[in-house]
Amino acid sequence: MANIIAPSHGGKALLVINAIFTSLAIASSVSRFIKNLKKARAGSLQWRNLVLTDALVLTATVLVVLNGALRIVSILLGGVGWDQDTLTTDQLGWALKALFIEELAWTTSLCLLKFALIILYGRIFVAGTGKKSTKIVYWTAHVAVGCLLVGSISYYLGQCKPLAAAWTPGLPGGKCAPARAGWFGTGIANLITDVIIFSVPAVWLTDLQMHLHNKIVAGIQLFIGAIVTIISLTRIFFVAKANPDNITGSVVNPDIFSCIELNMAIVFASVAGIAGREAISNFVDRFLVARPRTYAERYRHGEPREGSGPGTSALRLSSARKWAKMDGEGEGQEGLVRTGVREVEGEV
C-alpha cells in the first residue's frame, strides 16, 4: 500500500480550497434539485425540463466529487506540491495517474454544466426574442461545447502512445505530444465557450418580452456567471507558468483555479434553484425596480384586474398552485417566455 506523503504548503492550500469549494458545489446542486423538484410537483416547472437540466447538473456534480477525490489522491499519495525530482517512481506514478483522470473528469463535468446553461438560457432567449440570430448562437454554442468535449477527451486519450506513457515517464518506446500545447488548447477553447454562454445573451436582454425587473435580475445573474470567464482566464495565466518538466511542483496554482472554476460553475448553474436568486430579486425589488405581481397575488390581495372590477371572493380563495400554474402556462410565445423566465428566476 502506498505511503501517505506529508503535503507541502501548496498542497495544504489546495486541499483546503478543494474541500471548501467541493462542499459548496455539492450543497448548491442538491439545493437546486430539491427546489426544482418542488416546483415540478407544484406544476410550475415542466418535468421534462427538470429531468434534462438537473440530470446534467447532477451528473456534473458526481464528476466534481470524483475530481475532488482524485485531487486528494494526487496530493497525499502522489506528492503534488513537491518538486518532481524529490518523488519516487511510485509516487510520481500516483500523481500522474490521478492528474490524468482528473483532467478527463474536469473537462466532462464543465461541458455538461455548459450544456445545462445553454438549454436554460435557450428557453428564455430563443423564445423570448424571436430573432433568428438567437437560434444560430444557441446551436453554435451547443456545437462549440460538443467540440470542446470531444476534442479534449480525444487529445487526452491520444496524447501519448502508448497511453501508459502519460503516467509513466521514460517508458521505453513511449512518445507524448507537448503538454503545454494541450493545456493551452483546452484552456482557450474553454474560455471561448464561456464568452459565448455568458456574454452573448446579455446583448439580447433588451429584446425580451418581460418586465424590467426580470430583465435586471437576469442581467445581474449573467454578470455573476461571467465571473467564471474571469476565473478561466486566470487559470490560463497560471497554466502558462507551469513547467511540463516539473508537473507536480508547478501544477498547484493551475489546479487551484481549475478547482475554483469547476465548482463555481456548479454554483452558478444551480442558482436557479436556491435562495441566492431570490435575494437578487429582492434587492432589485427594494432598490431598483418593483417586482411584477402575478394574477394569483393580485386576486389573493383583492386587487382589481386591469380593465375589470374587483376579483370575486371565489377567485381570491383559489389555491396558489392553480393560479401559479395559470400564470406560468399562458398561450403561444408569451406563455413560453413567462414559463422560461419563472423557471430561471424561481418566481413561482
Side-chain angles (χ1 to χ4, degrees):
M1 184 176 178
N3 295 322
I4 295 178
I5 303 171
S8 65
H9 292 300
K12 290 178 182 178
L14 183 54
L15 284 173
V16 172
I17 290 173
N18 181 60
I20 293 174
F21 282 91
T22 301
S23 300
L24 183 60
I26 294 172
S28 300
S29 181
V30 172
S31 297
R32 169 200 165 99
F33 177 73
I34 293 174
K35 180 69 178 291
N36 284 352
L37 183 62
K38 290 180 180 178
K39 289 165 68 177
R41 288 178 174 176
S44 59
L45 174 63
Q46 296 181 15
W47 282 99
R48 64 181 182 183
N49 292 339
L50 170 70
V51 172
L52 183 57
T53 56
D54 280 69
L56 289 171
V57 174
L58 288 175
T59 303
T61 304
V62 172
L63 291 175
V64 163
V65 175
L66 173 62
N67 194 267
L70 290 168
R71 191 170 283 117
I72 294 173
V73 169
S74 71
I75 295 170
L76 297 184
L77 299 182
V80 164
W82 296 108
D83 288 335
Q84 190 166 311
D85 57 7
T86 65
L87 303 176
T88 66
T89 302
D90 288 340
Q91 291 170 341
L92 183 58
W94 275 105
L96 296 180
K97 286 178 183 178
L99 290 171
F100 178 80
I101 303 174
E102 185 183 325
E103 288 176 333
L104 290 172
W106 183 85
T107 302
T108 304
S109 180
L110 204 57
C111 288
L112 291 178
L113 291 171
K114 291 182 179 185
F115 279 128
L117 286 172
I118 292 169
I119 294 170
L120 197 63
Y121 290 151
R123 288 201 293 268
I124 291 183
F125 293 105
V126 174
T129 62
K131 290 185 175 183
K132 291 184 179 180
S133 60
T134 59
K135 291 185 179 181
I136 294 174
V137 173
Y138 176 75
W139 289 112
T140 299
H142 274 292
V143 172
V145 175
C147 290
L148 171 62
L149 177 60
V150 174
S152 297
I153 291 178
S154 298
Y155 169 77
Y156 291 136
L157 296 179
Q159 63 178 322
C160 293
K161 293 183 180 182
L163 183 59
W167 55 80
T168 312
L171 182 70
K175 293 182 179 181
C176 294
R180 194 183 299 275
W183 296 344
F184 270 111
T186 55
I188 292 174
N190 178 52
L191 181 63
I192 292 173
T193 54
D194 283 346
V195 172
I196 294 174
I197 294 171
F198 294 115
S199 301
V200 175
V203 180
W204 296 325
L205 280 175
T206 56
D207 297 323
L208 288 176
Q209 301 174 19
M210 66 169 73
H211 193 276
L212 179 59
H213 172 91
N214 296 337
K215 290 183 180 181
I216 294 175
V217 171
I220 293 175
Q221 290 174 296
L222 286 172
F223 173 77
I224 294 174
I227 295 175
V228 174
T229 305
I230 299 174
I231 297 173
S232 180
L233 185 60
T234 306
R235 175 179 171 272
I236 292 176
F237 169 78
F238 282 106
V239 164
K241 298 177 66 176
N243 181 7
D245 296 324
N246 183 23
I247 293 178
T248 57
S250 62
V251 78
V252 170
N253 286 333
D255 207 18
I256 284 176
F257 283 94
S258 294
C259 174
I260 296 173
E261 179 181 2
L262 178 57
N263 286 288
M264 291 310 295
I266 288 274
V267 173
F268 296 142
S270 303
V271 76
I274 58 178
R277 180 172 299 278
E278 189 163 336
I280 296 173
S281 183
N282 290 337
F283 173 84
V284 174
D285 179 64
R286 181 173 181 180
F287 297 104
L288 299 175
V289 178
R291 180 188 294 110
R293 302 183 68 180
T294 65
Y295 285 133
E297 292 172 323
R298 293 170 64 187
Y299 279 118
R300 281 201 302 271
H301 288 82
E303 296 179 12
R305 185 175 177 176
E306 185 177 351
S308 64
T312 64
S313 58
L315 290 175
R316 288 196 300 269
L317 293 175
S318 294
S319 68
R321 177 178 177 179
K322 175 181 176 183
W323 283 103
K325 187 175 181 181
M326 178 181 180
D327 274 310
E329 289 178 347
E331 296 182 0
Q333 178 177 305
E334 184 181 355
L336 287 172
V337 176
R338 285 205 304 272
T339 301
V341 171
R342 282 170 171 72
E343 184 173 327
V344 173
E345 296 192 357
E347 289 192 356
V348 289

